[in-house]
Structures are given as C-alpha cells and as structure tokens.
Amino acid sequence: MEAEVPPPAATQGYLLGGRIRYTQPKDGYRTGIEPVFLAASVPARPGERVLEAGTGAGAGLLCLERRIGGLHGIGLEIEPAMAALAAANFAANGYSGLAALCADVAASPLPRLLGAEPFDHILSNPPWHDASGTHPADGLRERAKMAEDGLLERWIARLAPRLKPRGTITLILPSRMIPEALAALGAGGCGSPVLFPLWPRPAREAKMLLVQATKGGRAECRMLPGLILHDGPAYTLAAHAILRDAAALDLQRR
C-alpha cells in the first residue's frame, strides 16, 4: 500500500481583488497571472461544461466560475496534493459545480474519468519550460513547469477529442511554442486560431500569448493587437480590470 502524500505547507490568500478565497502552497510553485488571463478569455456561458488541464490549486476554474457562474467544471491535476487543494478551494468558495480529479493529462484514460459527454470549452496553462534546462529544487514546481519534448502535442491530442463541435480550446503559452501549438491544434481538428499577445510593456517583446481555437473552425489564423500589462511600476487599467475586477477578454469578436 502506497504511503499517503502529506499536503504541502499552504498560505491563505485571494484572487480577483478579494473576490475569491485561495489557498496555495507556501513554497515552490506559486500561482502567477497566467491562469487569471486564461480564465478571462474563455467564452463560456452559464450551464456549460468546462475542462481545465493542469488545474494546479484551481485558480483558472475559480476565476472563470466567478465571472460566469453556473458552470460544470472539472480540473485535471497530476499531483495529488495540488488536486486536493483545488477541491478544497472550490468548496471554500461554494462552487459546487466544480470538481478536481487527480490524473495525468497525457496518459490517463480521459473518457472513463470524465464520462462520455464532451465539453463546451477546454483551458490550460500547460508545463512549458525546457526539460533540458535547470530544474527547480521543489518537486511540485518542477512537475508544474518542466516539459519534455512533445508534451504539448500529446496534451492537445488527448484534449481535442473531448470538445464539442464549435467548442473552444484556450491555452497560454510562450511565443516559442506557438508553431507547435498551432500544428497540434490543426491535427486535432481545432481551427480558426486566434493569437493574443500579452505585452509586458510598450515596445517590448511579447513573451506570452493566449491561443484560442475552435473545434471544426476553418477560418484563417488571426493575430490580435493584444494587451499591455504594465505602465511604469503598475498594471495598466486594462490589465487591472482583468486581474482585480474579473473583466473578460473577448477574443472572438475583436
């Protein structure tokens, strides 16, 4: 019998300017702004089914549910301790429509775990750091961040079949992974891709982009103007509205 994994030391905090109670590990992997922007860009409606791959402590689904309400969401997370934190965060905020499952997105039998019904939307902030680089000392941070060759392709290949026709899949990725993502999305039948750069400051290179594609979409790839994150030491008004006020990013109508 395997020994039970002890939960990591945790800190109590908030997301979206105090609108969401949020517990996360005290050390190692800490939530950044990525899941907040990711959740802001998902065009979900109340009552729809949403899947988050690599949910961590649940920040993405928490922010999405706070903005939309009435969702049926499942977060997949490979680390048992993090999946437990996500489930606790969902319960602490009274989001009974959200659930966390401990599963490896690239290897688990997803249809059995998730049921036969497809999802309206899928979102993910997948591991993307080069596995050949320096590895973090903290185990949770390493598994959340480091990605061996082909991991993104395998994730998309597993996730795309779980989408309804005209459903969306939304990712947040570094710029160097955009060609791989677009190829994998196309192979999975997800087209009409939209790219949305997150510029750190004016006239600076965008290191991160939101990528959204539609199951069965046939339109050409679009590059949107994107959003500037910082104005001096502070966030821009547009970024602040997303990070603190739960504002939406509509990538489909821009």
Side-chain angles (χ1 to χ4, degrees), residues 95-115:
Y95 295 161
S96 59
L98 304 184
L101 292 176
C102 186
D104 182 351
V105 176
S108 297
L110 298 186
R112 179 176 62 83
L113 286 170
L114 303 177

Side-chain angles (χ1 to χ4, degrees), residues 43-58:
R45 297 179 180 179
E48 290 187 329
R49 280 170 50 84
V50 179
L51 174 67
E52 183 178 24
T55 195

Side-chain angles (χ1 to χ4, degrees), residues 84-97:
L85 274 180
N89 281 327
F90 299 157
N93 287 277
Y95 295 161
S96 59

Side-chain angles (χ1 to χ4, degrees), residues 13 17 25 56 64 69 75-76 91 152 240:
L64 185 59
L76 294 180
L152 178 62
H240 188 278

Side-chain angles (χ1 to χ4, degrees), residues 45-46 49 74 94 168 174 195 199 222 233 248:
R45 297 179 180 179
R49 280 170 50 84
I74 295 176
T168 68
L195 306 181
W199 310 103
R222 292 189 296 145

Side-chain angles (χ1 to χ4, degrees), residues 150-174:
L151 180 66
L152 178 62
E153 181 182 3
R154 292 196 299 276
W155 273 42
I156 293 175
R158 298 288 289 177
L159 295 171
R162 302 298 302 161
L163 268 178
K164 290 182 178 179
R166 308 306 301 173
T168 68
I169 179 168
T170 308
L171 311 167
I172 186 164
L173 295 167

Side-chain angles (χ1 to χ4, degrees), residues 146-228:
M146 309 305 286
E148 69 272 15
D149 289 345
L151 180 66
L152 178 62
E153 181 182 3
R154 292 196 299 276
W155 273 42
I156 293 175
R158 298 288 289 177
L159 295 171
R162 302 298 302 161
L163 268 178
K164 290 182 178 179
R166 308 306 301 173
T168 68
I169 179 168
T170 308
L171 311 167
I172 186 164
L173 295 167
S175 56
R176 64 176 175 81
M177 296 190 73
I178 298 305
E180 180 183 354
L182 293 177
L185 288 167
C190 298
S192 306
V194 178
L195 306 181
F196 189 88
L198 297 175
W199 310 103
R201 298 182 187 279
R204 293 286 185 87
E205 179 181 346
K207 296 182 179 180
M208 299 295 294
L209 293 89
L210 291 161
V211 182
Q212 188 170 93
T214 302
K215 187 68 173 288
R218 297 180 180 275
E220 294 182 351
C221 181
R222 292 189 296 145
M223 173 72 80
L224 301 184
L227 183 147
I228 298 173

